[in-house]
Amino acid sequence: MLTAVLASIPSPSSGEIKLGPLQLRAYGLMIALGVLAAVWLAGRRLEARGVGTREDMSYVALWAVPAGVIGSRLYHVATDWRRYEGHWLNAFKIWEGGLGIWGGIGLGVVVGIWAAMRRGIPLQGGLSAITPALPLAQAIGRWGNWWNQELFGRPTDLPWALEVSPGKAIAAGYPAGTTFHPTFLYESLWCLFLCGALIWIDKRFKPKGTELFAMYVAGYTLVRFWIERLRVDPATILWGWRINEVVSLVVGGLAILYLIVSMTRHRDDTVAVQDESVSEPISPADVAHVARLARLELTAAEIERYTEQLGTVIEHFHDIDELDLADVVPMYQPLPLQNVFRDDVVGPTLDRDEVLAAAPDAEGGRFRVPPILGEAP
């Protein structure tokens, strides 16, 4: 019954989508939709983690996406150069297909990190936010191969086998009417699963951004190697293997090696990290970054003033933490502080002079009290 319902997956008769007078290349449209979905997801994750905004992500994408497309095309042409020998101008016809994922990830991520650093986005937080968006873009973009009837696998008569035009089947070396493995669908579904898995892993285990990125690389190469074994399109052969099989093994192996080294390396405990973070001074860049997240426009003078004030507050609480108050008699706070919402609730406040008098003599010179404490209205 399943075979009767799913006889095969038909391919589009044309690689173009017509919207009235507008004619779009479906391959490019799928890539554009994948990019939009990735920017949307990454922007939401940046804001949720407090390391950036959607505007920051749009800025990063403005640099990373063109770099990724250029890198993808360069990788494809470099590894499949015989296809363009004598017809080098065809190398610029991206709409006809031919983007190598490793070139896109390599150059796109490098340029994206550079752009993110220019916006003050930290490396680890930025990678954690952006990594799940990469397989999401791939899951959508892979449907461009369906529109172009390309990169399909070996012949099969499975219910979900892919139909292609007679010309495509004959060009692949098979009789007209042959159906094939829909490798684009396999990769698309796996990337969609990988996107969800990375989001769950990040939420559940909170790995470093570089570790999450390595998990993505390892997870993708695992299935990509299998898909390359299925494909029948011509490819450069290296040591008896398709070149993308070799690249998948090498890149995936390096990702797994990094994960092993990173996860077994000694890490500071949480208390030490917290103590270190308290002692670190506040910089103007930190204040400017927080202001941008809060969508505040501060002048240089305001940033400098707030930096100084926050530094004083942090020093104050650091000094309190170092005090030895074991022998200090608990004091009652003499001035009443009336609750502004309820007239029947009165609570105590602090008196500045009594706080100073109660501080240990040995620490008296280092103990600072904010001037607002104890000031009656």
Side-chain angles (χ1 to χ4, degrees), residues 68-309:
V69 173
I70 293 172
S72 296
R73 191 60 173 179
L74 290 175
Y75 176 89
H76 169 73
V77 173
T79 56
D80 222 355
W81 58 272
R82 289 185 180 87
R83 180 182 301 183
Y84 303 97
E85 194 173 11
H87 307 279
W88 294 110
L89 290 179
N90 290 342
F92 296 94
K93 297 180 179 179
I94 296 180
W95 56 88
E96 293 182 355
L99 295 177
I101 184 63
W102 298 120
I105 294 297
L107 188 58
V109 167
V110 169
V111 173
I113 290 175
W114 169 80
M117 292 178 65
R118 290 191 63 183
R119 299 287 288 192
I121 300 174
L123 173 63
Q124 298 297 345
L127 269 180
S128 293
I130 295 172
T131 293
L134 299 177
L136 177 61
Q138 291 174 255
I140 299 174
R142 269 303 171 195
W143 285 84
N145 301 135
W146 176 63
W147 282 92
N148 279 1
Q149 299 189 42
E150 61 183 0
L151 308 185
F152 42 82
R154 294 195 297 264
T156 182
D157 57 358
L158 290 170
W160 54 84
L162 177 68
E163 296 179 5
V164 298
S165 65
K168 292 287 185 179
I170 294 172
Y174 297 93
T178 303
T179 55
F180 303 88
H181 278 283
T183 50
F184 81 92
L185 180 62
Y186 299 158
E187 185 169 337
S188 178
L189 292 176
W190 175 254
C191 285
L192 196 60
F193 167 80
L194 188 58
C195 172
L198 290 170
I199 292 175
W200 179 81
I201 290 172
D202 185 41
K203 184 177 180 179
R204 177 67 176 81
F205 300 102
K206 294 180 172 53
K208 294 191 300 184
T210 47
E211 292 173 348
L212 193 69
F213 181 75
M215 293 176 190
Y216 152 69
V217 173
Y220 175 69
T221 53
L222 173 68
V223 168
R224 180 58 187 268
F225 178 81
W226 171 71
I227 288 175
E228 285 292 327
R229 302 294 292 175
L230 284 178
R231 281 168 50 170
V232 296
D233 55 296
T236 301
I237 303 300
L238 189 63
W239 305 314
W241 299 68
R242 292 170 64 95
I243 190 168
N244 281 328
E245 292 176 333
V246 177
V247 174
S248 294
L249 287 175
V250 172
V251 174
L254 291 174
I256 293 173
L257 179 62
Y258 170 77
L259 284 173
I260 294 173
V261 173
S262 180
M263 291 182 172
T264 57
R265 190 169 47 193
H266 173 72
R267 297 181 181 182
D268 296 332
D269 56 45
T270 304
V271 175
V273 172
Q274 291 176 346
D275 289 345
E276 181 181 354
S277 65
V278 170
S279 62
E280 291 179 354
I282 294 291
S283 69
D286 295 329
V287 176
H289 179 65
V290 173
R292 187 170 66 253
L293 292 178
R295 293 179 171 81
L296 297 176
E297 296 184 2
L298 300 180
T299 64
E302 290 173 330
I303 291 176
E304 183 177 354
R305 183 170 71 254
Y306 293 147
T307 301
E308 181 180 357
Q309 291 177 349

Side-chain angles (χ1 to χ4, degrees), residues 331-336 347-351 354:
M331 62 181 178
Y332 294 97
Q333 302 168 23
L335 297 180
T349 185
L350 296 175
D351 179 79
E354 290 200 15

